[in-house]
């Protein structure tokens, strides 16, 4: 019996707990859960709680969310759990009371594992929004078997940008008549007159992640991944900076965790479900030549400093200076968030029905896109909460065994894309050129 089933909830007062509810991202996740609980989409309603270190801060977040949603006090209908990532007993107590934890406490490389451990040991599923491959893959190595035994699902990287990327590749595959063998995605972020900024929590994760790449290589050797076969024409790697004809601007490889997340999903779908694996390249559009020059200077400086502990201290102390104002300790204002949106465009190629993908050149193309509101604090909570609802509501469509999964592996058969579409993350087909 999966922990997702209602009867699996016997004796658990909550369906879902938001851990780290009063943090910068956590507050928006709380608002999004409150919206979902109101939407009547859930069979039998949603019993939920917020968890964190300070009762005052948790109450304040519930009052803030209630005010933003223009509804009566949430404090009376939402549980409050006091719990600290440094206190294993408090984490175990939280996990025992719920079917699912939405973990918003990062950087996950420092604070993620105790939460996963508490959830797995105590039979709760767990979702996070980590973009840190080392944490995600380390979790797989250490907890996959145990989670499978307990019938719980641990799904990392359920925010922006891995949900749009991973589910976008699957959407593209499902919309192509034939066999999809390669996809490139291009991310464009548009901001209004106020510009766009990101809270420095994400910056910290990037600093620590890049400093520790050698350990990621070692970890991957330990996991002994089965190689993913290349089917169809090999996808060409692009340069460090190139001019994109489609967008009439310069693009660079996307530095985040998407390629590794998509690869894990494709490996799972290939080895477990015998589906044709899709090759993937991720890029981001950065604009004109001026942007390229600024970015190169910032990038070189970042890569020099990140190698040394004093350099990392500087980067973490002055995020605004070193990121040319992109990352701030305060995070974006409401006005900035209202003015920002993203589009992720997928260019897929493959072989028409009846064509052997092992022979000849790809002969069909498809272009799809995922569009949504501000990525960090509007899209991420939507993605995280809808992923959570998919675990609670689409239990029969999840992988047969519990375990540690990437989003595409966990949700490929669920209604997640449909749910996201309803909440303003639009998946659509732009063009399907004929063979």
């Amino acid at each position: 019996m999966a922990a997702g089933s209602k009867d699996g909830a016997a004796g658990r007062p909550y369906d879902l707990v938001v851990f780290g509810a009063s943090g910068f991202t956590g507050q928006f996740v709380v608002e999004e859960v409150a919206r979902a609980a109101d939407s009547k989409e859930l069979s039998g309603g949603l019993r939920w709680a917020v968890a964190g270190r300070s009762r005052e801060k948790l109450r304040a977040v519930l009052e803030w969310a209630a005010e933003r949603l223009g509804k009566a006090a949430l404090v009376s209908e939402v549980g409050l759990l006091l719990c600290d990532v440094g206190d294993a007993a408090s984490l175990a107590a939280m996990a025992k009371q719920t079917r699912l934890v939405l973990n918003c406490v990062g950087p996950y490389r420092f604070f993620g594992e105790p939460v996963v451990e508490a959830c797995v040991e105590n039979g709760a599923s767990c979702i996070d929004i980590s973009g840190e491959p080392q944490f995600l893959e380390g979790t797989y190595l250490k907890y996959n078997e145990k989670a499978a035994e307990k019938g719980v699902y641990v799904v990392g990287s359920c925010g922006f940008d891995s949900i749009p990327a991973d589910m976008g590749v699957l959407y593209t595959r499902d919309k192509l008549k034939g066999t999809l063998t390669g996809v490139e995605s291009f991310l464009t972020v548009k901001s209004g007159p106020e510009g766009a900024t990101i809270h420095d929590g994400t910056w910290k994760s990037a600093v620590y992640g890049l400093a520790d790449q050698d350990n990621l290589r070692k970890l991957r050797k330990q996991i002994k991944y089965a190689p993913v076969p290349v089917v169809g024409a090999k996808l060409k790697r692009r340069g460090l900076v190139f001019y994109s004809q489609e967008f009439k601007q310069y693009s660079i490889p996307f530095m985040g965790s998407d390629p590794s997340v998509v690869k894990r999903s494709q490996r799972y779908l290939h080895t477990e479900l015998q589906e044709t694996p899709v090759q993937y390249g991720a890029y981001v559009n950065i604009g004109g030549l001026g942007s390229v020059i600024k970015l190169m200077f910032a990038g070189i400086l970042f890569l020099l400093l990140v190698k040394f502990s004093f350099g990392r201290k500087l980067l973490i102390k002055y995020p605004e200076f070193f990121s040319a104002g992109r990352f701030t300790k305060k995070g974006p204002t409401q006005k900035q968030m209202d003015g920002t949106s993203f589009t992720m465009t997928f260019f897929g190629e493959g072989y028409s029905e009846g064509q052997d993908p092992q022979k000849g050149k790809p002969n069909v193309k498809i272009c799809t896109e995922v569009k949504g509101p501000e990525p960090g604090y509007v899209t991420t909570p939507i993605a995280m909460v809808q992923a959570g609802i998919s675990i609670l509501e689409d239990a029969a469509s999840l992988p047969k065994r519990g375990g540690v999964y990437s989003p595409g592996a966990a949700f490929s058969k669920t209604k997640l894309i449909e749910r996201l579409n309803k909440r303003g993350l639009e998946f659509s087909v732009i063009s399907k050129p004929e063979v």
Side-chain angles (χ1 to χ4, degrees):
M1 173 199 66
S5 58
K6 276 283 183 203
D7 45 324
R12 294 186 185 239
Y14 304 113
D15 299 309
L16 176 160
V17 172
V18 181
F19 178 53
S22 56
F24 191 81
T25 306
Q27 59 184 347
F28 296 109
V29 173
V30 167
E31 182 189 3
E32 190 56 33
V33 173
R35 197 179 274 122
D38 262 9
S39 71
K40 308 287 175 274
E41 275 176 42
L42 294 142
S43 51
L46 184 72
R47 306 159 309 150
W48 65 290
V50 290
R53 286 183 301 203
S54 152
R55 189 179 297 277
E56 287 66 46
K57 283 186 178 168
L58 292 173
R59 289 184 77 102
V61 157
L62 289 173
E63 278 157 18
W64 173 86
E67 195 181 321
R68 279 171 63 99
L69 294 168
K71 62 176 293 197
L74 281 168
V75 177
S76 57
E77 56 191 68
V78 177
L80 272 174
L81 304 176
L82 287 183
C83 126
D84 185 334
V85 78
D87 173 0
S90 72
L91 293 177
M94 166 179 74
K96 282 187 177 112
Q97 293 182 67
T98 185
R99 297 163 59 202
L100 173 67
V101 171
L102 302 188
N103 181 13
C104 303
V105 181
Y108 292 94
R109 67 166 52 238
F110 299 130
F111 306 123
E113 187 180 335
V115 181
V116 171
E117 187 174 11
C119 287
V120 171
E121 290 296 338
N122 295 288
S125 291
C126 180
I127 278 183
D128 68 54
I129 43 177
S130 168
E132 306 159 53
Q134 202 175 352
F135 167 72
L136 297 164
E137 298 180 40
T139 301
Y140 172 79
L141 181 65
K142 217 162 161 185
Y143 295 99
N144 184 47
E145 281 310 310
K146 192 82 192 249
E149 269 167 48
K150 295 271 189 177
V152 299
Y153 297 90
V154 177
V155 191
S157 47
C158 284
F160 181 87
D161 30 282
S162 291
I163 286 246
D166 207 4
M167 300 312 290
V169 170
L170 296 182
Y171 176 83
T172 308
R173 179 198 72 179
D174 292 344
K175 293 295 175 195
L176 182 82
K177 282 200 165 37
T179 309
L180 183 72
T181 56
V183 176
E184 291 184 322
S185 70
F186 287 80
L187 170 65
T188 311
V189 177
K190 284 200 178 77
S191 53
E194 304 270 325
T197 57
I198 304 168
H199 188 259
D200 75 329
T202 303
W203 174 257
K204 284 180 188 153
S205 299
V207 171
Y208 295 123
L210 277 165
D212 210 12
Q213 293 226 295
D214 292 349
N215 283 327
L216 180 58
R217 287 197 244 333
K218 283 182 199 148
L219 179 70
R220 286 178 172 162
K221 280 210 176 96
Q222 261 180 291
I223 295 175
K224 299 190 176 69
Y225 283 129
V228 182
V230 171
V231 176
K234 195 164 165 47
L235 203 57
K236 285 201 266 302
R237 298 282 302 259
R238 310 250 193 168
L240 274 180
V241 179
F242 58 95
Y243 187 74
S244 159
Q245 287 301 337
E246 289 88 0
F247 300 97
K248 301 286 178 262
Q249 53 174 306
Y250 287 92
S251 310
I252 58 170
F254 181 76
M255 296 295 283
S257 57
D258 294 354
S260 68
V261 171
V262 169
K263 191 163 192 177
R264 284 174 55 216
S265 292
Q266 292 301 324
R267 177 183 287 112
Y268 170 82
L269 295 169
H270 174 66
T271 52
E272 297 297 318
L273 305 180
Q274 286 69 59
E275 293 174 6
T276 304
V278 179
Q279 305 166 65
Y280 177 63
Y283 303 95
V284 57
N285 296 324
I286 54 173
L289 212 49
S291 304
V292 173
I293 292 162
K294 261 202 303 215
L295 197 80
M296 281 174 75
F297 274 115
I300 290 165
L301 191 59
F302 187 92
L303 291 173
L304 284 173
L305 288 172
V306 85
K307 287 192 169 47
F308 307 100
S309 78
F310 82 91
R312 293 194 288 278
K313 282 193 183 110
L314 280 176
L315 288 168
I316 280 162
K317 199 168 176 191
Y318 305 108
E320 275 184 72
F321 176 78
F322 287 108
S323 68
R326 275 298 167 84
F327 290 87
T328 67
K329 288 185 187 292
K330 291 194 299 285
T333 61
Q334 190 57 50
K335 262 196 157 145
Q336 284 178 321
M337 286 172 20
D338 293 342
T340 305
S341 62
F342 81 91
T343 305
M344 206 178 252
T345 310
F346 298 82
F347 298 99
E349 58 173 36
Y351 295 76
S352 56
E353 286 169 321
Q355 278 291 111
D356 179 357
Q358 304 293 10
K359 296 193 179 96
K361 286 200 170 94
N363 66 342
V364 279
K365 286 186 169 165
I366 184 169
C367 175
T368 63
E369 70 178 21
V370 181
K371 280 171 103 126
E374 188 280 330
Y377 312 102
V378 186
T379 290
T380 285
I382 290 171
M384 185 184 212
V385 171
Q386 295 306 322
I389 288 171
S390 294
I391 284 187
L392 296 173
E393 295 283 301
D394 304 345
S397 318
L398 293 170
K400 293 283 178 280
R401 299 174 65 205
V404 177
Y405 291 100
S406 54
F411 301 122
S412 75
K413 306 286 182 260
T414 66
K415 295 193 185 122
L416 178 58
I417 289 177
E418 223 173 283
R419 295 178 189 285
L420 294 170
N421 264 321
K422 279 193 191 133
R423 280 294 298 118
L425 285 193
E426 297 164 31
F427 289 68
S428 61
V429 176
I430 302 304
S431 65
K432 290 189 187 178
E434 289 310 300
V435 179

